[in-house]
Amino acid sequence: MNQKEVTIAKPVMLDKNFFSGHSVDCVILGFEQGEIKVLLLKWKAFEKWSLPGGFIGNDEDLDKAAIRILQERTGISLPFLEQFHSFGDVNRKGKESFLSEIKSLIGHDSNLINWISQRFISTGYLSLVNIKKCNLVPDELSERCEWVSLNNVSNLIYDHNEMIKMALQKIKMQLNYLPIGITLLDSKFTMKELQLLYQSILGKEIDRGNFQKKMLKLDILIRLEKQNLGGAHKAPYLYKFDKLKYKKLLKKGFGYIN
Amino acid sequence: MNQKEVTIAKPVMLDKNFFSGHSVDCVILGFEQGEIKVLLLKWKAFEKWSLPGGFIGNDEDLDKAAIRILQERTGISLPFLEQFHSFGDVNRKGKESFLSEIKSLIGHDSNLINWISQRFISTGYLSLVNIKKCNLVPDELSERCEWVSLNNVSNLIYDHNEMIKMALQKIKMQLNYLPIGITLLDSKFTMKELQLLYQSILGKEIDRGNFQKKMLKLDILIRLEKQNLGGAHKAPYLYKFDKLKYKKLLKKGFGYIN
DNA sequence: ACAAAAGTGTTATCCTTACACCCATGT
DNA sequence: ACATGGGTGTAAGGATAACACTTTTGT
């Protein structure tokens, strides 16, 4: 492989050679105050937000690159990200090129500018996390790194809004097969919190009683002591996931296997 | 965008400039004699089979590239292919490089050889088709273009065997939501043929009576006259899909929407 | 006492599953 | 007559959805 021809220059985000023409973007979703939130970066150089993304090392697996990029850009370490789609439209960057902003970021090295402003195909990766367990550390390119409620997501750069949409579709599909709460909630939670999570993903109301019965019948929840938060009402039970039974359920398959 | 730097040389498969480092591979599945079959190409230059694949034009959407590549390499024109996964492991090409074979195909232009033997990330596309309606025309690189029963698929080049596996997984998931037969069967078919199709995708037996009831209840099949094939038994009905109702069912959603 | 939220129960309806029964046809 | 495969029916069990009832708690 002739590296001189394929890798033109080093982008700034990492001190190594990158694979040309392909990038990764991460849709990291969390749940807080009854709302789904997505992890976004605010650029230092210009007034735009974007998904945490980056480039792939020449000697790096695509899946591994996603994990590294997320860590470097946001501080979040995850052992596994799920690929959900690759975005390869010619005009996926839209009309705004951010060229002057990019120059202010990376300097005026023309090789580098050419490299970074070429066409990129980007593969989207996805994960659901517990917001409280995430210690956010924005990288040097970013002014801020924040959880943004889905309703408040602005016009992101390139096709990042579409990426979020597709990630949510994928989540919806998995919701039918997987008890998703284990990654998004605290270790202890009430049935109401779990229900709010499902409702905000599905975008619809669910009957309270039926939801409770359905979840309990899965036999992956352990009921703990009651929690008295001091409302004028009965105290709700706390639950935690029975991780052993949860794993067994996963291994048994997602419903379409058998 | 500086094309001189990004596009090094022209590969042979098409007379235009290609996007570097990214390819497309198509998993096209059909159904014949009660078996799922996959469309494969046998190389002229060496004794290996592979999925129909190719490169992406510099000014071509990824999705469009897949459609064009399939047409050029196999003769099959489809209006739509579904993306299912991108394969980006560093060593996805495996140990065999086929370098000498590639040279015999494309000549000894070192730029071209470098271009073609670099690392490629490949996006897999998927479709289900009616074998009888496909007029196979192998391209100049291929000796043959054939439907191969899944059980008879040999060791394909690179990670193509894994690609087929992942495509089948995706199909299984969709089977729960979509009445898939419309693309795979003849316009007229018996309930038994439809059942054999489902069984071969799911890899399990389905109760005959229950399957019939379930399919009829979907209300997308039109019962036609009986077909007497001359067996020592009752003649089965023929069915065709009610395409209007079928489309309505699709629009209504796949089950996870509501 | 009352409202609010949590836990549980009831009922009708639908779907799934396993299996049985009858029908048509060629040998 | 009988085996073979095709169409339909039945009964049990499970899942779902709508809704009602009871319990706990602060005001």
Side-chain angles (χ1 to χ4, degrees):
Chain A
M1 174 168 166
N2 192 326
Q3 290 239 351
K4 204 169 45 149
E5 287 176 350
V6 176
T7 303
I8 289 89
K10 297 178 187 177
V12 286
M13 302 197 192
L14 249 199
D15 185 25
K16 63 160 127 170
N17 288 326
F18 283 109
F19 188 68
S20 179
H22 202 111
S23 59
V24 159
D25 289 295
C26 302
V27 180
I28 309 300
L29 298 171
F31 187 66
E32 202 176 41
Q33 294 159 337
E35 286 183 315
I36 303 282
K37 298 188 174 179
V38 60
L39 185 63
L40 296 180
L41 290 170
K42 164 72 179 59
W43 290 91
K44 271 183 187 167
F46 53 113
E47 292 303 308
K48 279 280 185 176
W49 295 74
S50 74
L51 294 170
F55 304 118
I56 298 140
N58 272 326
D59 298 313
E60 185 177 42
D61 289 345
L62 185 57
D63 292 347
K64 297 276 168 58
I67 293 166
R68 173 187 55 77
I69 287 164
L70 180 66
Q71 205 285 321
E72 288 177 355
R73 300 218 57 196
T74 72
I76 298 180
S77 281
L78 295 176
F80 172 76
L81 289 166
E82 186 188 349
Q83 187 192 304
F84 67 93
H85 195 77
S86 290
F87 298 83
D89 278 6
V90 172
N91 62 352
R92 56 172 285 269
K93 289 196 176 178
K95 288 171 185 169
E96 305 172 279
S97 71
F98 307 112
L99 200 57
S100 62
E101 291 86 352
I102 287 170
K103 283 180 187 169
S104 81
L105 274 174
I106 63 177
H108 288 264
D109 178 332
S110 71
N111 274 343
L112 185 46
I113 288 172
N114 282 333
W115 191 92
I116 216 165
S117 55
Q118 70 178 305
R119 174 183 179 188
F120 274 88
I121 292 174
S122 190
T123 298
Y125 280 81
L126 158 63
S127 188
L128 307 176
V129 302
N130 183 330
I131 288 182
K132 285 182 190 163
K133 289 184 183 163
C134 293
N135 186 25
L136 301 183
V137 184
D139 69 338
E140 58 186 6
L141 296 174
S142 305
E143 183 182 303
R144 277 179 287 160
C145 178
E146 278 179 21
W147 294 103
V148 180
S149 166
L150 282 185
N151 307 319
N152 300 335
V153 173
S154 58
N155 271 344
L156 307 178
I157 65 167
Y158 306 152
D159 52 356
H160 288 196
N161 292 85
E162 195 199 340
M163 287 182 177
I164 295 175
K165 257 189 213 168
M166 289 207 61
L168 287 169
Q169 272 191 6
K170 185 96 173 192
I171 298 289
K172 270 191 191 176
M173 288 190 56
Q174 295 186 338
L175 204 52
N176 274 6
Y177 298 118
L178 292 176
I180 266 176
I182 198 165
T183 59
L184 283 165
L185 296 174
D186 292 341
S187 58
K188 296 179 182 183
F189 51 89
T190 65
M191 194 59 78
K192 174 141 204 179
E193 290 172 310
L194 188 59
Q195 186 182 343
L196 282 172
L197 169 59
Y198 272 75
Q199 286 182 166
S200 56
I201 291 178
L202 290 173
K204 67 166 187 178
E205 303 269 302
I206 305 172
D207 181 89
R208 189 175 53 88
N210 294 334
F211 181 80
Q212 172 125 326
K213 267 173 290 179
K214 190 172 175 177
M215 284 299 136
L216 292 178
K217 200 165 9 179
L218 285 177
D219 194 32
I220 52 169
L221 293 180
I222 299 171
R223 178 174 280 182
L224 306 169
E225 79 283 2
K226 292 200 178 189
Q227 176 198 40
N228 199 324
L229 287 169
H233 53 77
K234 203 179 194 174
Y237 288 106
L238 286 175
Y239 295 89
K240 66 172 181 180
F241 281 99
D242 185 330
K243 291 188 182 174
L244 245 94
K245 288 183 179 172
Y246 178 84
K247 281 178 190 168
K248 277 185 194 169
L249 193 68
L250 281 186
K251 279 188 187 167
K252 246 179 46 180
F254 309 117
Y256 58 87
I257 303 259
N258 264 325
Chain B
M1 176 167 166
N2 192 327
Q3 291 240 351
K4 204 169 46 152
E5 288 179 346
V6 177
T7 304
I8 289 88
K10 296 178 187 176
V12 287
M13 301 196 190
L14 249 197
D15 185 24
K16 63 161 126 170
N17 288 326
F18 283 108
F19 187 68
S20 180
H22 202 110
S23 59
V24 159
D25 289 294
C26 303
V27 179
I28 309 300
L29 299 171
F31 187 66
E32 201 177 42
Q33 294 159 337
E35 286 182 315
I36 302 283
K37 298 187 175 180
V38 59
L39 186 62
L40 296 179
L41 291 170
K42 165 70 178 62
W43 291 90
K44 271 183 189 165
F46 52 113
E47 293 302 309
K48 279 280 187 177
W49 294 74
S50 75
L51 294 170
F55 304 119
I56 299 139
N58 271 326
D59 299 313
E60 185 178 43
D61 289 344
L62 186 56
D63 292 347
K64 298 275 168 57
I67 293 166
R68 173 188 55 76
I69 287 164
L70 181 66
Q71 205 284 321
E72 289 178 354
R73 299 218 59 196
T74 71
I76 298 180
S77 281
L78 293 175
F80 172 76
L81 287 165
E82 185 188 349
Q83 186 192 305
F84 68 92
H85 194 77
S86 290
F87 298 82
D89 278 7
V90 173
N91 62 350
R92 54 172 287 269
K93 289 196 177 180
K95 287 171 186 171
E96 302 172 282
S97 70
F98 306 113
L99 201 57
S100 61
E101 290 86 351
I102 287 171
K103 283 179 187 170
S104 81
L105 275 172
I106 64 177
H108 288 265
D109 178 334
S110 71
N111 274 343
L112 185 45
I113 288 172
N114 282 333
W115 192 92
I116 215 165
S117 55
Q118 70 178 303
R119 174 182 178 188
F120 275 87
I121 293 175
S122 190
T123 298
Y125 280 82
L126 158 62
S127 186
L128 308 175
V129 301
N130 183 331
I131 289 182
K132 286 182 190 163
K133 288 184 183 162
C134 294
N135 187 24
L136 302 183
V137 184
D139 70 337
E140 57 186 6
L141 295 175
S142 307
E143 184 182 300
R144 278 178 287 160
C145 178
E146 277 178 22
W147 294 104
V148 179
S149 167
L150 283 185
N151 306 319
N152 299 334
V153 173
S154 58
N155 271 343
L156 307 178
I157 66 167
Y158 305 154
D159 52 356
H160 288 196
N161 293 86
E162 195 198 340
M163 288 181 175
I164 295 175
K165 256 189 213 167
M166 290 207 59
L168 287 169
Q169 272 190 7
K170 184 99 173 191
I171 298 289
K172 269 192 191 176
M173 289 190 55
Q174 295 186 337
L175 204 52
N176 273 8
Y177 298 118
L178 292 176
I180 267 176
I182 198 164
T183 59
L184 283 165
L185 296 174
D186 293 341
S187 58
K188 297 179 181 182
F189 51 88
T190 65
M191 193 58 80
K192 174 141 202 177
E193 289 173 311
L194 188 59
Q195 186 182 341
L196 282 172
L197 168 60
Y198 271 74
Q199 287 183 167
S200 56
I201 291 178
L202 290 173
K204 67 167 185 176
E205 302 269 301
I206 305 171
D207 181 90
R208 189 174 53 89
N210 295 333
F211 180 81
Q212 171 124 329
K213 268 174 290 180
K214 190 172 176 178
M215 284 299 135
L216 292 178
K217 201 166 9 182
L218 285 177
D219 195 31
I220 52 169
L221 294 181
I222 299 172
R223 178 174 281 181
L224 306 169
E225 78 283 3
K226 291 199 178 187
Q227 177 200 38
N228 200 324
L229 288 168
H233 53 76
K234 204 178 192 173
Y237 288 107
L238 285 176
Y239 295 90
K240 66 173 181 180
F241 280 99
D242 185 331
K243 291 187 181 173
L244 244 93
K245 288 184 178 172
Y246 179 83
K247 281 178 190 168
K248 277 186 194 168
L249 192 68
L250 281 186
K251 279 187 186 167
K252 244 178 49 179
F254 309 115
Y256 58 87
I257 303 260
N258 263 325

